[in-house]
Amino acid sequence: MLHTKGGEGMERMDVGARVRYFRHLRGLSQEQLALQAGINPAFLGHLERGLKSPTITTLDKLVRALGVTFEELFAESSDAADQDREAAIQRLQLLVRDLSTEQLDKLSDMIQAVLTFPKP
């Protein structure tokens, strides 16, 4: 955990939760991220559960492996619904990035068909 504000009402940021959030967005397992970052997978598990604190060097390895900036990692969390929506969009981007043009066209048609259904 890192402090995000000074004073008596000091808030704390759960860095491990932010790492887990971005890891999930990228569709990576803990082991995959740890290998990409060159850190111990057990340490990453402890970090994500808030049992360990990372050094700046470890944070640098993690942001590079995750493809995010320090600013993104430490950004104030927005509304949970917004985060869930953003996570879903990024997961979709990861899923479709290697599709052929024909597959993308078919997927677009399917999405258009789904959008014609009335909203619940």
Side-chain angles (χ1 to χ4, degrees):
M1 297 236 201
L2 293 178
H3 300 290
T4 57
K5 288 187 181 175
E8 285 192 25
M10 193 176 319
E11 293 181 20
R12 295 171 66 85
M13 174 176 279
D14 188 344
V15 175
R18 295 289 293 166
V19 169
R20 181 174 46 249
Y21 169 77
F22 284 108
R23 178 175 62 78
H24 284 190
L25 284 180
R26 304 300 185 265
L28 298 171
S29 68
Q30 281 184 345
E31 186 173 347
Q32 289 171 321
L33 176 57
L35 289 173
Q36 287 180 16
I39 64 173
N40 184 299
F43 176 80
L44 178 59
H46 290 150
L47 171 66
E48 287 190 0
R49 290 191 304 279
L51 303 174
K52 299 279 184 180
S53 295
T55 63
I56 293 295
T57 301
T58 300
L59 282 175
D60 185 56
K61 290 177 180 182
L62 286 167
V63 297
R64 289 173 189 270
L66 289 167
V68 298
T69 65
F70 276 96
E71 182 178 62
E72 289 170 310
L73 183 65
F74 293 111
E76 288 292 323
S77 298
S78 60
D79 181 75
D82 289 342
Q83 282 188 354
D84 289 345
R85 180 179 168 77
E86 184 62 29
I89 290 169
Q90 288 192 9
R91 280 194 305 273
L92 285 170
Q93 287 175 330
L94 290 171
L95 289 170
V96 302
R97 70 177 171 202
D98 294 328
L99 295 179
S100 69
T101 302
E102 183 180 328
Q103 290 171 315
L104 287 170
D105 287 341
K106 288 180 182 179
L107 180 60
S108 178
D109 292 343
M110 287 188 282
I111 291 171
Q112 282 298 119
V114 168
L115 292 175
T116 64
F117 296 136
K119 291 186 179 183

